[in-house]
Amino acid sequence: MNIFPFNRSVEESLSIRSVIENITEAAVITTLEGNIVNYNHRFSAHVPSVLHTKKIEEVFEVTSINCSIKEMGKVISARSGLFPVRLALYDKGERNSETSPAYVSMLKSRNSRKPAALIYQLDEQLLRFTQRLAQITNAKKQHARLARRSKLEATTDVLTRLKNRRFVQSFAELHWYSCIRGVDDAVLVMFDIDHFKKINDAYGHDVGDDVIKAFATCLKEEARAADVVGRWGGEEFIVILTKCTLQEARIYLHRAMNKIRWLKVTSGGATLSLTASAGYCAFSQCNALEEVYQKADEALYRAKHSGRDTFTRACD
């Protein structure tokens, strides 16, 4: 409880001590100009900044109506009873993003019955409900974030941040059924980094990992947003080109291959150039999804054994 000397006349005319002590909720009394007259312990517990100031505008501001603290007297004098407002409280000079429900009412002089002060009461029951609701909402958001992260981690390759084999297989199955219904064709491309084992043996696995990450970025940058680029395992990658013809797949492969040839990977004190081999197969060429994988893999094998640094189409 605190009484400021310059407000003692107001205190005496209103018997504010008895008023403030009979309020069970957090409350603060101010003059019509916004000077703090008194407050109870519950208010100082909720709003510690009230202990260090004489001006109520340094404690909170009213956000629910378009008027300043000094204009509140005029607003409240035209009403009777408790007037609901929302307050933005200040903590160490910083305004909280959350607002608190409260009520404002007028106190009149015992002698003249003229408006003399305002009393602000926090609606603690609604405040507790609002805080609990906010806690539940935040908990749900946190749970949703964790669920999204878990889902992302379950479908993402740790090293390259591309989709992993599990996701690629599920995505391919989905598009296979679209293809057999005659909706859209898709093309599956298998990539393999040429002579990757020699890179690992000569420079170590850390350099090898940097090569894989750079290669993955290269494939991703050349793919469209609707395509899926995934790491199949080791130095092997798969790209599923959706709504794509064989001719459009060749265009993508020309771009990707050229970009790989121009790629320079600097790691472990060495600067490396890369090439890759690829085999591709349209879904419409096959009678089963397993056949798409098999034919693309066979085409990749032919590309590797025809001199590498090239791509080969699967046989019909």
Side-chain angles (χ1 to χ4, degrees), residues 154-170 189-193 196 200 205-217 219-220 228-240 293:
T155 60
T156 304
D157 176 65
V158 176
L159 178 63
T160 63
R161 309 311 295 171
L162 297 180
K163 296 303 181 183
N164 60 17
R165 184 171 183 144
R166 176 182 175 185
F167 180 90
V168 170
Q169 289 173 319
S170 298
V189 186
M190 281 193 171
F191 283 93
D192 187 277
I193 302 174
F196 182 74
N200 259 348
H205 291 284
D206 289 343
V207 174
D209 286 349
D210 288 341
V211 167
I212 286 176
K213 287 189 285 188
F215 186 83
T217 301
L219 295 185
K220 184 69 175 177
V228 166
V229 183
R231 187 181 180 194
W232 196 240
E235 69 273 23
E236 291 186 328
F237 295 80
I238 277 188
V239 180
I240 297 177
Y293 289 116

Side-chain angles (χ1 to χ4, degrees), residues 48-101:
S49 59
V50 75
L51 299 169
H52 311 292
T53 183
K54 299 177 182 180
K55 299 290 185 180
I56 200 63
E57 60 262 30
E58 297 176 13
V59 177
F60 59 70
E61 65 177 274
V62 180
T63 61
S64 54
I65 57 175
N66 188 23
C67 75
S68 66
I69 291 291
K70 292 183 178 180
E71 295 171 328
M72 283 297 297
K74 295 179 182 179
V75 175
I76 302 303
S77 63
R79 302 171 182 268
S80 60
L82 300 175
F83 181 64
V85 295
R86 295 198 71 86
L87 306 178
L89 306 177
Y90 286 91
D91 182 22
K92 298 178 181 178
E94 296 293 329
R95 173 179 157 172
N96 291 337
S97 57
E98 300 293 333
T99 59
S100 301

Side-chain angles (χ1 to χ4, degrees), residues 160-198:
T160 63
R161 309 311 295 171
L162 297 180
K163 296 303 181 183
N164 60 17
R165 184 171 183 144
R166 176 182 175 185
F167 180 90
V168 170
Q169 289 173 319
S170 298
F171 188 86
E173 185 175 356
L174 176 67
H175 274 72
W176 170 255
Y177 288 114
S178 296
C179 180
I180 62 177
R181 289 196 302 268
V183 179
D184 291 302
D185 201 0
V187 176
L188 186 146
V189 186
M190 281 193 171
F191 283 93
D192 187 277
I193 302 174
D194 293 333
H195 304 296
F196 182 74
K197 186 177 183 302
K198 291 182 179 179

